[in-house]
Each structure stands twice: as structure tokens, then as C-alpha cells.
Amino acid sequence: VYLETYGCQMNVSDTEIVWAILQKNGYARTKELGEADVVLLVTCSVREKAEQAIWNRLQHLKALKARRPQARAPLRVGILGCMAERLKEEILHREKLVNVVAGPDAYRDLPRLLAVAESGQQAANVLLSLDETYADILPVQTSAGGTTAFVSIMRGCDNMCSYCIVPFTRGRERSRPIASILQEVRMLSDQGVKEVTLLGQNVNSFRDLSEVQFQSVAAPGLSRGFSTVYKAKVGGLRFSHLLDQVSRIDPDMRIRFTSPHPKDFPDEASVLQLIQERHNICKQLHLPAQSGSTRVLEAMRRGYTREAYLELVHHVRDSIPGVSLSSDFIAGFCGETEEDHLQTVSLLREVRYNIGFLFAYSMRQKTRAHHRLQDDVPADVKKRRLEQLIATFREEAARANAALVGQAQLVLVEGPSKRSASELCGRNDGNIKVIFPDAELEDAAEPGAPGRAQPGDYVMVKVTSASSQTLRAVPLYRTTLSRAAASH
């Protein structure tokens, strides 16, 4: 089997689940497309462009299938994940080459679907589940160097933002039992993984209902000035409890999480408090804004105003000094005026994010926007607005990063830099990429025994220059996460 992943980190995690299931069923994995008997594409539907990449890839696979020697069994091709969920009929009718279609909740059924496909029939399962979390399947790690890993803590989303396809492709929100998450993180720690990112469409609304005694706990309040379209849910162990437990497993393993929803940071701020207190929870938060205009935010059904969002940003910065912020923005949403757009530009200036994900709006079928709103911003206007947002973001990120010049930063080494084998690349606590020379280094614990840093090592560096996306630095010494925290 040959696996190819498109889209978000959730899909990286799903690929590992799929591989764990197939491995148990006797499949071997290949990194060479030409060796494969089965090609599975784990797909994304969030934007038009992501889907177009899959249609193009299928044309390539069609040619590969046609060239396959008669002596070998026919190549089986499967489309998995969000696009399978959204476009099941179209995929099966339009591309006779596709043998298997499996939605995000149907991965356990893959061995059966592939067996059906072997007999020459098309096989599909796109049933969405109310309880499938793959809690009992330990994903098989596939990420580079095994230094970092993604751990999926929940699936689906209940927010129903008007632009978003996710609730329709991934179903309703449900959380994994905390015990199974802790088991996976312990296993990763034992394997030497040094950074874990907890993943969910909306991590801070996590609720583990598997333990009876916690089923009637009161629902937490929303952040001030935030609202929600559905009833607050009672019961369950919350995200702050999970974060607390995960961060205790290994003091030398960094913990990150994505993506939280701004409305789900409750006023008692236990999550923010944990980030501030624990040296191994990264001082980095993803706060997806999507727009800087209250009018557009209302059309998007985000549940907050510009003012409430900014108040949250100030609260976060007061609670976690030096926090690194990232965000998502959509340019040219339905009905966005030039004035609305300029409010987004000014939000980018005011907040000064370190990392940004910015895209032009593309209408998705099934969403509320598709039923109720007009995609009325012309493509060239979307493009111009997106370019302006990107330019503004980069200017401000370059300023934010320039403030780090001269400072010491702890970097987790991921491997050689892409551009030069004589340099190493890693990320600091704020998730910003840092590049520095690969040189002999003293170890803080054993002075006089210099050696080169390896992937998975922590290196203290001094920042020498900064751009909007990268820091350059000189290495000082090797250390560990807990030793670095103790010396600060």
C-alpha cells in the first residue's frame, strides 16, 4: 500500500490510523508508487484548490494504472477522508479508476472495502458516526525523524461556521477517552518523540464522557462577549484536565495543541494558567480570527465581535508573557466590503501575529453560506485583498520576530536545513523556524565533551537576525527542556 496525505494535520494523524489498521491486516507499506498494489489518497475538502489537486493526481494514477503489466493484479485506488465524504457519488461516477471511497469514520472498514474492490467492484463507506474516535487504535508514527508527532484527541465539529465544510465531512464533535490519549502520549515518549501536538477541530471544547462520575459536571462559561449557536454541553472531563495530565507525562517533551476556538477559553482561564505555569507546554496559541470586521464575523457565525476577540488577545498576553500567536484569515467572504477588509488589515496590525494562514474564500456546497449567502466578491478583488493581508501579516511578523534578535531561544532540532547541509533547522517554543550552523557544541550537563546536535536534541541559540518566517541564530550549547527551564 502507498499512502499520500493532503491537507491538514488531522489528515496526517488519520494516515497513521489507516496505516495501523492495514498493517494489522497484513499489508506492507511502500514509499515507491511503482511498487504499490493499492494507492490511498487521504484527502481534504476545505478549499477548492485542495480538491483540484486530487482530481489532477487521479489523472496521473490513471496513466499509471494503464501502464501496469498484465501479469500484476490491477492497481486499486482509494479516496479517503473529507473529499470522499463530500463527493462520494461524483468520485465513483466521474473516475471509474477509483475502486474504494471511505469517509473519515470508515477507516476500520478499509480491509473489507479493499477485498470487495479486489473482485472488480467499486466499494464505498461514507457513514458518519456519532462515536467513532479510533480510541483503541494506536497510530503508527510516520513523521520525519520521529522527533514530533500529532495526537488526535477528538473528531468532528459542532460549530457550524457558515463558510465551513468540516461538520459535513467529519461529522459531529466527539472526544477520545483521556486514558487512551495518555497511553498514546506515553508510547510516543518511550519512542523518544520530543514534541506532541494535540489535534482537534476545536480542542478546547474537548469533553471526555467515558468516566461516569464526571458526566454531570457543569458546562464552563464562554469567554466574555462570546456566544454560541448551540446549547452549552454539560458533563465530562475538560481540555484543561487533559492538558494537565498530558504535560505531566514527560517533562522533556513539548506539548502544543491546535486548533482552539476563541469562544471556548472560559473566564477562569485554567488553560491559559497551565500554559503559563508548565515549562513544557509551549507559550504559543492559535487564535483563528477569520476576519477583523464584526459584521463579517456575524455573517460567518463565529460567535464573537472584533472587540471581544481583541479583549481575549489582551487577556492572553497578560496571562502568558511573551506568547507567540498564530491565526487564520479568509479574504473576500460573502458580502465583504472594502471597509470590512480594511478592518481585517488593521486587526493584523494591532495584534501582530507571529504565524498566519491566509486564504481567499471559496464557496463550499452544503455550508450555510452556500444556502443563504452570495459569493459576491469578484475573484480579482479577493486576490488583491488576500495579497494585501499577506503583505501586512509579513510586515508585522517581521517586526514581532525582530524583537527576538539578541535573545537566547531554546530550539528543538528537527534535522538539516532544506537549503544547506551545513545548517540545522528546528523550532523555538513559539513554533517559529530557527536556522543555525551545524557545529560542535558543548553539552550543558557535561562540559568538555563537545558533539554535534542530532534531531530531537534541544539546543540553546542566540538569535542574530529575523525575517517574517524565520530566525537565524548561532548555537550556544546542547541542553534539555527541563534543564533549560530550571536555569531561567
Side-chain angles (χ1 to χ4, degrees), residues 19-41:
W19 171 227
I21 291 167
L22 293 179
Q23 198 177 27
K24 277 204 183 81
N25 282 271
Y27 281 82
R29 187 159 179 188
T30 176
K31 291 230 185 327
E32 297 301 321
L33 188 54
E35 290 177 359
D37 304 299
V38 176
V39 174
L40 299 176
L41 310 182

Side-chain angles (χ1 to χ4, degrees), residues 184-215:
E184 186 178 334
V185 175
R186 278 190 204 101
M187 178 189 81
L188 293 169
S189 169
D190 292 344
Q191 289 172 6
V193 168
K194 286 295 196 303
E195 180 179 294
V196 159
T197 303
L198 305 177
L199 287 183
Q201 240 66 50
N202 192 20
V203 287
N204 51 345
S205 64
F206 175 90
R207 289 183 328 134
D208 172 10
L209 290 165
S210 65
E211 294 183 48
V212 176
Q213 71 268 35
F214 296 107
Q215 284 182 1

